[in-house]
Short mmCIF file of all heavy atoms in Angstrom, two decimals:
data_model
loop_
_atom_site.label_atom_id
_atom_site.label_comp_id
_atom_site.label_asym_id
_atom_site.label_seq_id
_atom_site.Cartn_x
_atom_site.Cartn_y
_atom_site.Cartn_z
N ALA F 274 64.05 12.12 18.66
CA ALA F 274 63.99 13.53 19.03
C ALA F 274 62.77 14.15 18.37
O ALA F 274 62.63 14.14 17.16
CB ALA F 274 65.26 14.24 18.59
N GLU F 275 61.89 14.68 19.17
CA GLU F 275 60.59 15.13 18.67
C GLU F 275 60.72 16.35 17.77
O GLU F 275 61.47 17.27 18.04
CB GLU F 275 59.70 15.46 19.86
CG GLU F 275 58.30 15.88 19.47
CD GLU F 275 57.50 16.24 20.70
OE1 GLU F 275 57.56 15.49 21.67
OE2 GLU F 275 56.85 17.30 20.67
N THR F 276 59.98 16.36 16.68
CA THR F 276 60.00 17.49 15.78
C THR F 276 58.66 18.19 15.66
O THR F 276 58.61 19.33 15.25
CB THR F 276 60.43 17.04 14.36
OG1 THR F 276 59.53 16.06 13.88
CG2 THR F 276 61.83 16.47 14.39
N GLU F 277 57.58 17.53 15.99
CA GLU F 277 56.27 18.17 15.91
C GLU F 277 55.34 17.60 16.96
O GLU F 277 55.19 16.39 17.08
CB GLU F 277 55.64 17.97 14.52
CG GLU F 277 54.27 18.64 14.39
CD GLU F 277 53.63 18.41 13.03
OE1 GLU F 277 54.37 18.18 12.06
OE2 GLU F 277 52.38 18.44 12.96
N ARG F 278 54.73 18.49 17.74
CA ARG F 278 53.72 18.09 18.72
C ARG F 278 52.56 19.06 18.60
O ARG F 278 52.75 20.28 18.65
CB ARG F 278 54.30 18.13 20.13
CG ARG F 278 53.30 17.72 21.22
CD ARG F 278 53.85 18.05 22.59
NE ARG F 278 55.00 17.23 22.91
CZ ARG F 278 54.98 16.25 23.80
NH1 ARG F 278 53.88 15.96 24.45
NH2 ARG F 278 56.08 15.55 24.06
N VAL F 279 51.37 18.54 18.43
CA VAL F 279 50.18 19.38 18.25
C VAL F 279 49.07 18.87 19.16
O VAL F 279 48.82 17.66 19.22
CB VAL F 279 49.69 19.37 16.78
CG1 VAL F 279 48.46 20.27 16.63
CG2 VAL F 279 50.80 19.82 15.84
N GLY F 280 48.41 19.80 19.87
CA GLY F 280 47.28 19.45 20.73
C GLY F 280 45.98 20.02 20.18
O GLY F 280 45.97 21.06 19.51
N PHE F 281 44.89 19.35 20.47
CA PHE F 281 43.56 19.78 20.02
C PHE F 281 42.57 19.69 21.16
O PHE F 281 42.60 18.75 21.96
CB PHE F 281 43.04 18.90 18.88
CG PHE F 281 43.87 18.95 17.64
CD1 PHE F 281 44.90 18.05 17.44
CD2 PHE F 281 43.63 19.90 16.66
CE1 PHE F 281 45.67 18.09 16.30
CE2 PHE F 281 44.39 19.95 15.51
CZ PHE F 281 45.42 19.05 15.33
N GLY F 282 41.67 20.67 21.22
CA GLY F 282 40.50 20.57 22.07
C GLY F 282 39.38 19.98 21.25
O GLY F 282 39.20 20.33 20.08
N VAL F 283 38.63 19.03 21.82
CA VAL F 283 37.57 18.34 21.09
C VAL F 283 36.22 18.81 21.64
O VAL F 283 36.01 18.79 22.86
CB VAL F 283 37.70 16.81 21.23
CG1 VAL F 283 36.63 16.10 20.41
CG2 VAL F 283 39.10 16.37 20.81
N ARG F 284 35.32 19.23 20.74
CA ARG F 284 34.02 19.76 21.15
C ARG F 284 32.89 19.03 20.44
O ARG F 284 32.98 18.75 19.25
CB ARG F 284 33.92 21.26 20.86
CG ARG F 284 34.86 22.11 21.72
CD ARG F 284 34.80 23.59 21.37
NE ARG F 284 35.54 24.39 22.32
CZ ARG F 284 35.03 24.93 23.41
NH1 ARG F 284 33.73 24.78 23.66
NH2 ARG F 284 35.76 25.62 24.24
N LEU F 285 31.83 18.74 21.17
CA LEU F 285 30.62 18.14 20.64
C LEU F 285 29.46 19.05 20.98
O LEU F 285 29.28 19.40 22.14
CB LEU F 285 30.41 16.74 21.23
CG LEU F 285 29.13 16.00 20.83
CD1 LEU F 285 29.14 15.69 19.34
CD2 LEU F 285 28.99 14.71 21.65
N PHE F 286 28.69 19.47 19.97
CA PHE F 286 27.62 20.45 20.16
C PHE F 286 28.15 21.72 20.82
O PHE F 286 27.47 22.36 21.62
CB PHE F 286 26.48 19.88 21.01
CG PHE F 286 25.82 18.67 20.41
CD1 PHE F 286 25.86 17.46 21.07
CD2 PHE F 286 25.19 18.74 19.18
CE1 PHE F 286 25.26 16.34 20.53
CE2 PHE F 286 24.58 17.62 18.63
CZ PHE F 286 24.62 16.43 19.30
N GLY F 287 29.40 22.07 20.53
CA GLY F 287 30.01 23.28 21.07
C GLY F 287 30.55 23.15 22.47
O GLY F 287 31.14 24.09 23.00
N LEU F 288 30.35 21.98 23.11
CA LEU F 288 30.81 21.78 24.49
C LEU F 288 32.11 20.97 24.49
O LEU F 288 32.25 20.00 23.74
CB LEU F 288 29.75 21.02 25.30
CG LEU F 288 28.37 21.71 25.39
CD1 LEU F 288 27.40 20.79 26.11
CD2 LEU F 288 28.50 23.05 26.11
N PRO F 289 33.08 21.33 25.35
CA PRO F 289 34.33 20.58 25.40
C PRO F 289 34.11 19.17 25.93
O PRO F 289 33.44 18.98 26.95
CB PRO F 289 35.20 21.42 26.34
CG PRO F 289 34.24 22.20 27.17
CD PRO F 289 33.07 22.48 26.29
N VAL F 290 34.65 18.18 25.23
CA VAL F 290 34.48 16.79 25.65
C VAL F 290 35.82 16.07 25.86
O VAL F 290 35.85 15.00 26.47
CB VAL F 290 33.64 15.99 24.64
CG1 VAL F 290 32.23 16.54 24.58
CG2 VAL F 290 34.29 15.99 23.26
N GLY F 291 36.93 16.63 25.35
CA GLY F 291 38.19 15.92 25.52
C GLY F 291 39.36 16.69 24.96
O GLY F 291 39.22 17.80 24.44
N VAL F 292 40.53 16.09 25.11
CA VAL F 292 41.75 16.66 24.56
C VAL F 292 42.48 15.58 23.78
O VAL F 292 42.37 14.39 24.07
CB VAL F 292 42.67 17.22 25.67
CG1 VAL F 292 42.02 18.41 26.34
CG2 VAL F 292 43.02 16.14 26.68
N MET F 293 43.24 16.02 22.79
CA MET F 293 43.94 15.10 21.94
C MET F 293 45.24 15.73 21.48
O MET F 293 45.35 16.95 21.38
CB MET F 293 43.05 14.77 20.73
CG MET F 293 43.56 13.68 19.85
SD MET F 293 42.28 13.25 18.66
CE MET F 293 42.94 11.71 18.06
N ALA F 294 46.25 14.91 21.23
CA ALA F 294 47.54 15.43 20.76
C ALA F 294 48.22 14.42 19.86
O ALA F 294 47.96 13.22 19.94
CB ALA F 294 48.44 15.79 21.93
N THR F 295 49.08 14.90 18.98
CA THR F 295 49.91 14.04 18.15
C THR F 295 51.37 14.42 18.34
O THR F 295 51.69 15.58 18.62
CB THR F 295 49.58 14.18 16.65
OG1 THR F 295 49.79 15.53 16.24
CG2 THR F 295 48.15 13.77 16.38
N ALA F 296 52.25 13.46 18.21
CA ALA F 296 53.69 13.71 18.21
C ALA F 296 54.29 12.94 17.05
O ALA F 296 54.01 11.76 16.87
CB ALA F 296 54.32 13.27 19.52
N ILE F 297 55.09 13.62 16.22
CA ILE F 297 55.66 13.02 15.03
C ILE F 297 57.14 13.34 14.95
O ILE F 297 57.55 14.46 15.23
CB ILE F 297 54.99 13.56 13.74
CG1 ILE F 297 53.48 13.59 13.85
CG2 ILE F 297 55.43 12.76 12.52
CD1 ILE F 297 52.82 14.41 12.76
N ASN F 298 57.93 12.36 14.57
CA ASN F 298 59.35 12.59 14.30
C ASN F 298 59.70 11.94 12.98
O ASN F 298 59.27 10.82 12.70
CB ASN F 298 60.24 12.02 15.40
CG ASN F 298 61.71 12.27 15.13
OD1 ASN F 298 62.36 11.49 14.45
ND2 ASN F 298 62.22 13.37 15.64
N THR F 299 60.45 12.64 12.15
CA THR F 299 60.98 12.06 10.93
C THR F 299 62.50 12.13 10.98
O THR F 299 63.08 13.11 11.44
CB THR F 299 60.47 12.81 9.68
OG1 THR F 299 60.80 14.20 9.79
CG2 THR F 299 58.97 12.65 9.55
N GLU F 300 63.13 11.08 10.52
CA GLU F 300 64.59 11.01 10.48
C GLU F 300 64.98 10.28 9.21
O GLU F 300 64.72 9.08 9.06
CB GLU F 300 65.13 10.29 11.71
CG GLU F 300 66.65 10.28 11.78
CD GLU F 300 67.13 9.77 13.12
OE1 GLU F 300 66.73 10.34 14.15
OE2 GLU F 300 67.89 8.79 13.12
N GLY F 301 65.58 11.03 8.27
CA GLY F 301 65.86 10.45 6.97
C GLY F 301 64.56 10.04 6.30
O GLY F 301 63.59 10.81 6.29
N PRO F 302 64.47 8.82 5.76
CA PRO F 302 63.24 8.40 5.08
C PRO F 302 62.20 7.80 6.02
O PRO F 302 61.18 7.30 5.55
CB PRO F 302 63.74 7.35 4.10
CG PRO F 302 64.88 6.71 4.84
CD PRO F 302 65.55 7.83 5.62
N TYR F 303 62.44 7.84 7.34
CA TYR F 303 61.57 7.15 8.28
C TYR F 303 60.82 8.13 9.19
O TYR F 303 61.26 9.25 9.41
CB TYR F 303 62.38 6.19 9.15
CG TYR F 303 63.14 5.18 8.35
CD1 TYR F 303 64.51 5.34 8.11
CD2 TYR F 303 62.51 4.06 7.81
CE1 TYR F 303 65.22 4.41 7.36
CE2 TYR F 303 63.21 3.13 7.07
CZ TYR F 303 64.56 3.31 6.83
OH TYR F 303 65.25 2.39 6.09
N TYR F 304 59.67 7.66 9.69
CA TYR F 304 58.91 8.45 10.66
C TYR F 304 58.48 7.54 11.81
O TYR F 304 58.37 6.31 11.68
CB TYR F 304 57.67 9.09 10.01
CG TYR F 304 56.52 8.13 9.83
CD1 TYR F 304 55.54 8.00 10.82
CD2 TYR F 304 56.41 7.34 8.69
CE1 TYR F 304 54.48 7.11 10.67
CE2 TYR F 304 55.36 6.45 8.53
CZ TYR F 304 54.40 6.33 9.51
OH TYR F 304 53.37 5.44 9.37
N ALA F 305 58.22 8.15 12.96
CA ALA F 305 57.59 7.48 14.10
C ALA F 305 56.60 8.47 14.70
O ALA F 305 56.88 9.66 14.79
CB ALA F 305 58.63 7.07 15.15
N ALA F 306 55.43 7.99 15.07
CA ALA F 306 54.38 8.89 15.57
C ALA F 306 53.57 8.19 16.65
O ALA F 306 53.46 6.96 16.67
CB ALA F 306 53.46 9.31 14.43
N ALA F 307 53.01 8.98 17.54
CA ALA F 307 52.12 8.46 18.58
C ALA F 307 51.02 9.47 18.83
O ALA F 307 51.18 10.67 18.59
CB ALA F 307 52.90 8.18 19.87
N SER F 308 49.88 8.99 19.32
CA SER F 308 48.76 9.88 19.62
C SER F 308 47.98 9.34 20.79
O SER F 308 48.02 8.15 21.11
CB SER F 308 47.84 10.03 18.40
OG SER F 308 47.17 8.81 18.15
N GLN F 309 47.24 10.24 21.44
CA GLN F 309 46.41 9.86 22.57
C GLN F 309 45.21 10.79 22.66
O GLN F 309 45.32 11.99 22.39
CB GLN F 309 47.22 9.92 23.87
CG GLN F 309 46.48 9.38 25.08
CD GLN F 309 47.33 9.43 26.32
OE1 GLN F 309 47.46 10.46 26.96
NE2 GLN F 309 47.95 8.31 26.66
N PHE F 310 44.06 10.24 23.03
CA PHE F 310 42.85 11.03 23.29
C PHE F 310 42.27 10.58 24.62
O PHE F 310 42.31 9.39 24.96
CB PHE F 310 41.80 10.84 22.21
CG PHE F 310 40.46 11.40 22.60
CD1 PHE F 310 40.19 12.75 22.47
CD2 PHE F 310 39.48 10.57 23.14
CE1 PHE F 310 38.96 13.28 22.86
CE2 PHE F 310 38.25 11.09 23.53
CZ PHE F 310 37.99 12.45 23.39
N ARG F 311 41.70 11.53 25.36
CA ARG F 311 40.95 11.19 26.57
C ARG F 311 39.85 12.21 26.78
O ARG F 311 39.98 13.38 26.43
CB ARG F 311 41.88 11.17 27.80
CG ARG F 311 42.55 12.49 28.10
CD ARG F 311 43.48 12.40 29.29
NE ARG F 311 44.23 13.61 29.51
CZ ARG F 311 43.77 14.67 30.17
NH1 ARG F 311 42.55 14.65 30.67
NH2 ARG F 311 44.52 15.75 30.33
#
């Protein structure tokens, strides 16, 4: 069950070049996370 999702716009020389996001879940002493950029 997801607890945190964050997206980012990626810029090079001030121009947009991509998008990126992270998703993290923690449960007890454990975590699972995934990310993607394009």
